[in-house]
Amino acid sequence: MSGNGAMLAAEDGVEAALIGWLKETLNKDIFDALLMPVRTPAGDSFAYLLLQDPAILDGASPLPPVMPVQGGKAIGRLTMHGDGSKRIAAVVRPCEARAAIELAKLEQAHLDNVYLITLDCSGVLPLADYLEDPVAGADRFREASSAWDRSPMRPTCQICDRFSIRQAPGSDLHVGTLGCADGTAVLVAGSPKGERILEQMGMRAEDETKRTDALDAALAAWGTRVDEVGDAQTERRREVQRELQETIAGAEKLLDVFRSCINCHNCQRACPVCYCRQCYFESGALKLPPENYLARAERKGALRFPPDTLLFHIGRASHMAISCVSCGACEDACPTAIPVGQVFSLLGERAQEALGYVAGVSLEDPLPLVSYEMDELHDVEQPYVETYRNQEVQDA
């Protein structure tokens, strides 16, 4: 993360200040277009819009109370066929920026001409809770966000510890609000692209002597507070995931968690890093003749329909756990309220820990399963050797 930053006056609130700043970037031709959430005409939801007209920004919300579409998915759809020649600023949450970075490494997005702008994020409301009463939901979100109260937020948001650029240093420019005095925010450059934005806007400090005391104090206060909240969130995350691991350990417990699954595959469609055009679990390979099902039912005594629900979730986890950014979009999409986002967040964290990887924090970090090192995975291979050595001797 770059050390360059600037103050953003926010007397009328951070959202209004950022929208005003974004309008200025369009007027100064710094960006050709913006991609960011805008309230829908019905007023009860938000959608990502690619826009060039500054007037449309009056209905925009950099941090909307819900996430109907994961921003990384929107960036992927926009750029999957190439960079294009236009400079596009994408205003997203940190987990959405991380998803976009993973998609870029999976060659499903191109970010050379995309400028990722993120904000300190306290989470989003569960979509079902918000839609019960959008007006009350917006008020509840506003109050919780101002107090950094995560209790009404998505379960994965409640234990998120990568909510700012200090813990997720992948964005080009970040708007810091935690720890800042009322009426102020800080803009933090996270890359050379971010530094260029500040310079073009006349906000970059060319050298340390030009940094004002107020800016230094604001950056220090912001950094201190973000680190404090981050440490507390990491501890809470570990505690919650320890409890969750006990409830899903073993095939029977895991099957019990997914027992209400109706095989709709909404979780797969909402996930920003599930990108296959043809999912194996929706392919002809699993469209079997009745005789197959009858044979399986006879062998087992009975066969549950729809079949292979647990196989679907295990297969999906093996596909995307390395790139999971714990956004919780999958859980929001589940019509039967399965805690799929919490389960996948745990599986993703364990898989990434085993491989020494954190999804979406840097374009420079290679994907573990497409890179090879001579000296790796000893924690995995040793238990295997201890478990199967005797069996291999007997087989020999």
Side-chain angles (χ1 to χ4, degrees):
M1 185 178 70
S2 167
N4 282 309
M7 297 285 290
L8 180 66
E11 292 84 357
D12 297 325
V14 174
E15 278 208 355
L18 180 57
I19 288 172
W21 185 85
L22 290 170
K23 285 182 178 181
E24 191 176 351
T25 65
L26 288 177
N27 292 330
K28 288 186 174 182
D29 196 32
I30 291 172
F31 301 126
D32 296 302
L34 303 176
L35 179 69
M36 64 184 301
V38 176
R39 187 181 297 275
T40 60
D44 59 355
S45 190
F46 297 81
Y48 271 92
L49 288 190
L50 182 65
L51 59 94
Q52 294 177 296
D53 183 356
I56 299 176
L57 282 169
D58 292 334
S61 178
L63 284 178
V66 287
M67 189 190 292
V69 174
Q70 220 270 10
K73 200 175 188 74
I75 293 170
R77 289 295 296 272
L78 176 64
T79 66
M80 67 183 299
H81 292 300
D83 286 308
S85 59
K86 302 298 183 182
R87 301 156 300 169
I88 299 171
V91 182
V92 293
R93 286 177 154 92
C95 64
E96 297 175 300
R98 291 174 61 203
I101 290 170
E102 285 300 291
L103 288 173
K105 288 192 275 190
L106 290 162
E107 300 184 358
Q108 301 301 310
H110 296 79
L111 302 179
D112 284 352
N113 286 330
V114 174
Y115 296 75
L116 296 174
I117 300 177
T118 55
L119 302 88
D120 288 345
C121 174
S122 61
V124 296
L125 298 176
L127 191 56
D129 292 354
Y130 173 80
L131 291 176
E132 288 180 2
D133 187 339
V135 174
D139 291 339
R140 185 165 64 252
F141 174 78
R142 194 177 302 110
E143 292 172 4
S145 295
S146 62
W148 273 78
D149 174 15
R150 293 176 181 259
S151 59
M153 307 301 185
R154 280 178 178 173
T156 50
C157 296
Q158 293 178 20
I159 59 171
C160 175
D161 61 353
R162 297 191 182 277
F163 55 87
S164 182
I165 194 173
R166 291 179 70 85
Q167 293 87 10
S171 57
D172 299 303
L173 193 66
H174 184 82
V175 183
T177 57
L178 260 178
C180 293
D182 290 343
T184 63
V186 290
L187 295 176
V188 183
S191 72
K193 288 164 67 177
E195 292 178 1
R196 286 197 299 272
I197 296 171
L198 294 181
E199 185 174 5
Q200 290 170 324
M201 291 291 288
M203 305 176 76
R204 177 181 173 185
E206 295 295 336
D207 55 60
E208 288 298 317
T209 61
K210 294 183 180 179
R211 294 172 69 92
T212 66
D213 292 341
L215 173 58
D216 288 337
L219 287 170
W222 166 75
T224 299
R225 184 59 181 148
V226 167
D227 290 345
E228 290 173 352
V229 174
D231 291 343
Q233 284 295 110
T234 297
E235 186 57 38
R236 184 181 184 189
R237 183 179 184 85
R238 289 172 181 161
E239 180 181 346
V240 169
Q241 289 191 336
R242 277 195 299 267
E243 295 173 357
L244 177 62
Q245 187 163 346
E246 294 176 2
T247 68
I248 66 171
E252 288 300 320
K253 289 183 178 180
L254 192 60
L255 182 60
D256 190 56
V257 170
F258 289 102
R259 197 172 300 279
S260 60
C261 176
I262 60 173
N263 238 12
C264 66
H265 297 185
N266 277 3
C267 53
Q268 167 225 338
R269 292 179 177 85
C271 176
V273 294
C274 272
Y275 61 85
C276 293
R277 290 189 178 184
Q278 175 64 72
C279 177
Y280 172 78
F281 295 97
E282 296 174 351
S283 69
L286 291 184
K287 295 176 181 177
L288 305 175
E291 291 77 13
N292 178 283
Y293 296 118
L294 288 169
R296 290 163 66 184
E298 182 178 3
R299 186 170 63 251
K300 295 182 175 181
L303 181 64
R304 179 187 186 275
F305 272 82
D308 303 321
T309 54
L310 188 57
L311 180 63
F312 164 72
H313 291 288
I314 293 174
R316 198 172 83 82
S318 67
H319 182 181
M320 51 69 62
I322 295 300
S323 293
C324 178
V325 296
S326 299
C327 65
C330 53
E331 189 164 323
D332 242 11
C334 179
T336 58
I338 296 171
V340 61
Q342 300 166 67
V343 172
F344 274 61
S345 179
L346 171 61
L347 296 177
E349 184 134 323
R350 295 295 180 267
Q352 292 170 31
E353 284 177 352
L355 295 167
Y357 181 72
V358 179
V361 297
S362 172
L363 277 168
E364 307 304 318
D365 295 341
L367 290 165
L369 299 186
V370 298
S371 61
Y372 175 78
E373 296 180 12
M374 290 293 295
D375 187 25
E376 65 177 353
L377 297 180
H378 298 304
D379 291 343
V380 177
E381 66 184 17
Q382 190 61 33
Y384 178 90
V385 171
E386 293 174 352
T387 301
Y388 292 101
R389 180 187 295 119
N390 294 335
Q391 184 63 47
E392 289 174 350
V393 171
Q394 292 175 11
D395 293 345

